[in-house]
Amino acid sequence: MPEDELEDLPGVGPATADKLVENGFESYQSIAVASPGEMSNTADIGESSAADIINAARDAADVGGFETGAAVLERREEIGKLSWQIDEVDDLLGGGIETQSITEVYGEFGSGKSQVTHQMAVNVQLLPENGGLDGGCIFVDTEDTFRPERIDDMVRGLDDEILADEMERREIEGTPSDEEAMEELIEAFLDQIHVAKAFNSNHQILLAEKAKELAGEHEESEWPIRIVCVDSLTAHFRAEYVGRGELAERQQKLNKHLHDLMRIGDLFNTAILVTNQVASNPDSYFGDPTQAIGGNILGHASTFRIYLRKSKGDKRIVRLVDAPNLADGEAVMRVQGEGLKPE
């Protein structure tokens, strides 16, 4: 949206419009879903003025009101499904990872969480008929896990027919058996993955705001952002806020971070994929004592919760723990050199 249109809102002059745009409030919709406190803090606007601007934007953008179930159904038809390229897992998840939702993948060290984020950074770029979302990826790396070499492996691990489709659409001459063409294709995949390393929890929160700006810049481009991966969501919060005395502040900051991520999903029809660490519950006498970090804040914010568990060799059990419209269940996959593969 051009800046001068923001000046149509009551109380927004040229200087205020500049402040709003500089802080990511570039459209009526992005203003409408903000809170007065948030806008006041980030754009240096009085809270009372911010409330008036937000209310005017809500009227202009026609958000915040009730709608019929039929309208909700029509809007949900815009939701995309990102395939894992593993039929058993896709069936478990009702087609794959949903846009406009937070999908949480948790499990112990070595269970394959980072492998999932890397695989989805590749899969999201595929054509919809091949299970992708025809878009790019934002990757927030909090534990120094992102490895371009794994993207190389996973692109090479795609089916030859999919590779041929990708070469054709990206205008790369050659075949999957042509090493020079493959290297060009791998570079093209890497070009659509935007990576940032988060050094602490405050930087991680800032990167979520930057991710919203980046998604807005690419919204009308050939490669809109269709997935945001955060690997891992809780590592910095867990390390920096230690003990019960700091639990409330940790959860409050984590809650804001999750809402910032969810806003990206809602505004830009983007899938949000986060990985999470686990801890052992000593009070559990029966069953698996492993539980996800983050408590109820993360439990309620995540639309889909997936538990990855090690099995024999390279096998991993993918367990759907929580989903609003799907039954709990399990599927099996393998984590191999070429990426995630069926059993």
Side-chain angles (χ1 to χ4, degrees):
M1 166 180 291
E3 276 181 47
D4 57 353
E5 288 189 32
L6 297 184
E7 296 178 34
D8 292 341
L9 297 173
V12 178
T16 303
D18 288 343
K19 287 182 183 178
L20 290 171
V21 171
E22 286 172 8
N23 288 277
F25 300 105
E26 300 174 341
S27 66
Y28 289 162
Q29 189 173 11
S30 62
I31 294 172
V33 298
S35 68
E38 176 191 7
M39 183 178 290
S40 176
N41 291 332
T42 57
D44 193 24
I45 298 171
E47 196 158 329
S48 176
S49 298
D52 292 340
I53 293 170
I54 289 168
N55 287 332
R58 286 174 178 170
D59 291 338
D62 192 24
V63 299
F66 290 97
E67 57 186 345
T68 65
V72 173
L73 178 61
E74 184 177 349
R75 183 160 44 82
R76 280 192 58 81
E77 289 175 354
E78 299 174 2
I79 289 175
K81 299 272 191 175
L82 175 57
S83 170
W84 289 50
Q85 301 293 324
I86 302 169
D87 290 343
E88 190 178 352
V89 178
D90 286 342
D91 290 343
L92 178 69
L93 300 178
I97 294 175
E98 280 193 2
T99 59
Q100 301 180 35
S101 297
I102 294 179
T103 298
E104 174 198 358
V105 177
Y106 68 92
E108 63 182 0
F109 174 79
S111 59
K113 305 184 297 296
S114 295
Q115 303 301 315
V116 173
T117 56
H118 282 69
Q119 188 71 65
M120 296 309 145
V122 171
N123 292 0
V124 73
Q125 300 185 43
L126 305 180
L127 292 165
E129 54 263 37
N130 290 328
L133 295 175
D134 203 9
C137 169
I138 291 175
F139 198 111
V140 179
D141 183 0
T142 73
E143 296 185 283
D144 195 25
T145 54
F146 181 77
R147 295 291 182 273
E149 298 86 354
R150 282 303 283 149
I151 302 299
D152 185 313
D153 294 338
M154 289 173 172
V155 172
R156 293 178 187 275
L158 295 171
D159 291 343
D160 282 349
E161 289 184 8
I162 293 177
L163 289 172
D165 288 344
E166 290 303 312
M167 286 181 175
E168 181 179 355
R169 69 187 293 231
R170 298 173 198 244
E171 298 180 348
I172 296 173
E173 295 182 2
T175 65
S177 60
D178 181 349
E179 181 58 27
E180 189 174 336
M182 276 301 300
E183 288 181 1
E184 187 177 347
L185 179 62
I186 289 162
E187 186 175 346
F189 269 88
L190 285 168
D191 280 344
Q192 302 309 326
I193 304 172
H194 308 270
V195 186
K197 185 174 179 180
F199 295 100
N200 54 50
S201 62
N202 286 327
H203 187 210
Q204 184 175 334
I205 290 170
L206 174 64
L207 287 176
E209 297 171 5
K210 295 295 183 183
K212 188 176 90 169
E213 294 177 16
L214 188 60
E217 292 169 6
H218 283 74
E219 186 178 13
E220 301 299 329
S221 72
E222 183 182 356
W223 292 96
I225 300 300
R226 285 290 175 257
I227 191 167
V228 175
C229 299
V230 184
D231 186 22
S232 80
L233 179 77
T234 52
H236 286 315
F237 293 93
R238 187 181 188 186
E240 294 168 24
Y241 297 90
V242 181
R244 290 188 176 275
E246 298 192 32
L247 181 61
E249 185 179 358
R250 183 190 83 174
Q251 293 302 89
Q252 185 177 16
K253 289 185 73 172
L254 183 59
N255 188 37
K256 179 189 182 304
H257 184 44
L258 285 163
H259 278 80
D260 288 344
L261 291 171
M262 192 63 252
R263 187 171 301 166
I264 300 171
D266 289 338
L267 289 175
F268 304 108
N269 193 25
T270 299
I272 309 297
L273 174 63
V274 302
T275 67
N276 189 12
Q277 298 182 340
V278 297
S280 184
N281 180 9
D283 298 329
S284 177
Y285 294 102
F286 303 100
D288 192 338
T290 304
Q291 61 182 15
I293 298 297
N296 291 331
I297 291 289
L298 184 49
H300 291 308
S302 300
T303 314
F304 301 91
R305 303 194 88 182
I306 298 170
Y307 174 31
L308 288 186
R309 191 171 75 248
K310 295 178 183 177
S311 187
K312 292 181 181 179
D314 60 6
K315 282 187 181 181
R316 299 294 184 271
I317 308 299
V318 182
R319 177 167 181 77
L320 181 62
V321 175
D322 186 37
N325 59 334
L326 300 169
D328 295 354
E330 291 185 348
V332 180
M333 69 175 184
R334 292 183 182 272
V335 178
Q336 298 182 331
E338 301 81 13
L340 308 183
K341 297 297 176 184
E343 183 184 6

